[in-house]
Amino acid sequence: MQKNIIFMGTPSYATTILKELLKHFNILALYTGEDKAVGRKQVLTPSHIKAFLMQNFPHIPIFTPRTLKDESVSEQIKSLKPDFIVVAAYGKILPKSILNLAPCINLHASLLPKYRGASPIQSAILNGDEKSGVCTMLMDEGLDTGKILQSVECNIKDKNSSEVFELLANLAAKLCVDTLLNFHKLSPIPQDESKATLCSKIKKEDGLVEFHNARELYQKFLAFYNWPGIFLENGLKILDLELIDDKEHLKAGEILELEKESFLLACKIGTLRIKKLQASGKKPIDARSYLNGKRLKNGNCLC
């Protein structure tokens, strides 16, 4: 008999998982974040997953509660009689009143107990991890502390956050189907608390960089590719770059060598190839054109 699922999620990562679940299960309802004001005109915009469901499966109910703690929400979920509640990047903690209604399974984008919290993908990239993965986890009242059902590992070396989000979303979608189909055969495994690490929500100011360590700056570029990007104190955005080496330099921020559309830049430790820049309020241009406009040459300091 086909299982009945309530799905909770908000961004495109969750949409990818829901698309796969729709092929195998009966989706009773979607719970997602509230519509948000977006852009300069502050246009009220639905979440990625809500927009997808409204367009493609308009018969499936969508709920956007401000909080899950209200008794009316748990009563509503109870009345739907789900076999499972599946959660992927929803953005809200499930209270005990909901956790008790059905097995609640979270799709977390790390190999738990590493990187519990809001930014597991960015944190793995920032730390230069070559391996990451996704877990299906039985949810409890803690933050990503529940027992692990299944996990799958993958290579993320030199991938940016956009690429890793897509990779892990596709892995999570297939893993979730497998977990749900084989749920009663699985033996949940408690997490090793001695290996647990936490990661916090990314803030815009996290994208501010200085030319101290080229490798660390490169990892920030990859981690913050979607948002907030990386930028200097003067607002200059670095839109594309390559890590060249870990050589030490006397002068951080010095332009070392001009190339056709790029240039080599010294960090205190390491060298970068800067390929595309965007000055505050200007359009993106290739890095060499930016230098020409500023009349900067070899030996000058970018900052």
Side-chain angles (χ1 to χ4, degrees):
M1 191 171 70
Q2 195 176 45
K3 300 295 184 184
N4 295 310
I5 311 293
I6 285 177
F7 192 85
M8 297 181 173
T10 299
S12 58
Y13 170 80
T15 308
T16 300
I17 297 166
L18 179 60
K19 284 180 181 178
E20 191 65 26
L21 295 186
L22 283 160
K23 299 174 187 177
H24 301 272
F25 306 103
N26 178 40
I27 305 301
L28 298 170
L30 168 68
Y31 284 74
T32 187
E34 296 176 284
D35 294 2
K36 289 187 175 181
V38 174
R40 291 183 180 180
K41 294 185 178 180
Q42 294 290 281
V43 177
L44 205 59
T45 305
S47 67
H48 188 281
I49 196 169
K50 179 180 176 181
F52 162 77
L53 207 63
M54 288 171 65
Q55 184 174 351
N56 296 282
F57 298 88
H59 64 283
I60 297 177
I62 299 173
F63 303 104
T64 58
R66 184 164 295 179
T67 176
L68 297 179
K69 294 178 181 178
D70 286 349
E71 188 179 337
S72 60
V73 177
S74 56
E75 286 299 319
Q76 182 183 62
I77 292 173
K78 185 178 180 180
S79 69
L80 291 169
K81 299 179 180 178
D83 294 308
F84 295 97
I85 298 170
V86 176
V87 182
Y90 179 37
K92 298 182 190 296
I93 299 290
L94 272 61
K96 194 172 183 178
S97 58
I98 292 175
L99 293 170
N100 289 338
L101 295 177
C104 296
I105 297 173
N106 183 36
L107 279 296
H108 190 71
S110 80
L111 297 173
L112 290 167
K114 203 172 187 182
Y115 306 130
R116 294 172 176 172
S119 58
I121 289 175
Q122 295 93 329
S123 297
I125 297 172
L126 279 175
N127 289 331
D129 293 358
E130 294 189 6
K131 300 285 185 182
S132 187
V134 290
C135 295
T136 47
M137 174 194 71
L138 265 181
M139 297 178 73
D140 58 20
E141 290 182 89
L143 179 63
D144 301 323
T145 56
K147 293 179 179 179
I148 304 299
L149 293 165
Q150 291 180 296
S151 63
V152 60
E153 187 179 281
C154 63
N155 191 317
I156 63 167
K157 182 176 170 59
D158 292 324
K159 289 182 170 62
N160 65 46
S161 56
S162 180
E163 293 167 330
V164 178
F165 265 102
E166 184 177 357
L167 172 62
L168 294 189
N170 284 304
L171 288 175
K174 290 178 173 56
L175 184 66
C176 187
V177 171
D178 191 63
T179 294
L180 292 173
L181 290 176
N182 296 288
F183 181 76
H184 295 294
K185 301 176 188 175
L186 300 175
S187 300
I189 301 170
Q191 295 186 37
D192 184 347
E193 290 297 323
S194 69
K195 296 179 180 179
T197 59
L198 288 172
C199 55
S200 56
K201 191 174 181 180
I202 303 298
K203 304 182 292 293
K204 185 174 183 179
E205 54 264 34
D206 291 331
L208 179 65
V209 296
E210 295 178 329
F211 299 122
H212 292 319
N213 186 301
R215 189 168 294 277
E216 288 180 5
L217 195 151
Y218 173 67
Q219 296 302 144
K220 273 197 169 188
F221 163 70
L222 294 176
F224 301 150
Y225 188 81
N226 276 339
W227 186 88
I230 58 170
F231 48 87
L232 305 181
E233 190 74 55
N234 64 5
L236 181 65
K237 296 178 181 178
I238 304 174
L239 301 181
D240 197 8
L241 58 78
E242 291 177 15
L243 176 65
I244 302 301
D245 60 43
D246 293 311
K247 179 182 175 182
E248 288 193 29
H249 298 280
L250 293 174
K251 189 177 177 184
E254 180 182 3
I255 297 165
L256 297 174
E257 183 181 333
L258 301 180
E259 299 177 330
K260 186 177 179 181
E261 294 184 341
S262 56
F263 62 89
L264 299 186
L265 183 78
C267 293
K268 191 171 183 181
I269 302 173
T271 308
L272 296 168
R273 173 175 284 119
I274 307 298
K275 299 167 72 174
K276 188 179 285 187
L277 294 167
Q278 184 178 13
S280 184
K282 304 288 186 179
K283 292 181 179 179
I285 57 173
D286 70 78
R288 178 65 190 272
S289 295
Y290 175 83
L291 293 190
N292 292 343
K294 293 291 184 179
R295 298 184 179 181
L296 295 171
K297 54 185 185 299
N298 286 353
N300 291 156
C301 186
L302 180 64
C303 50

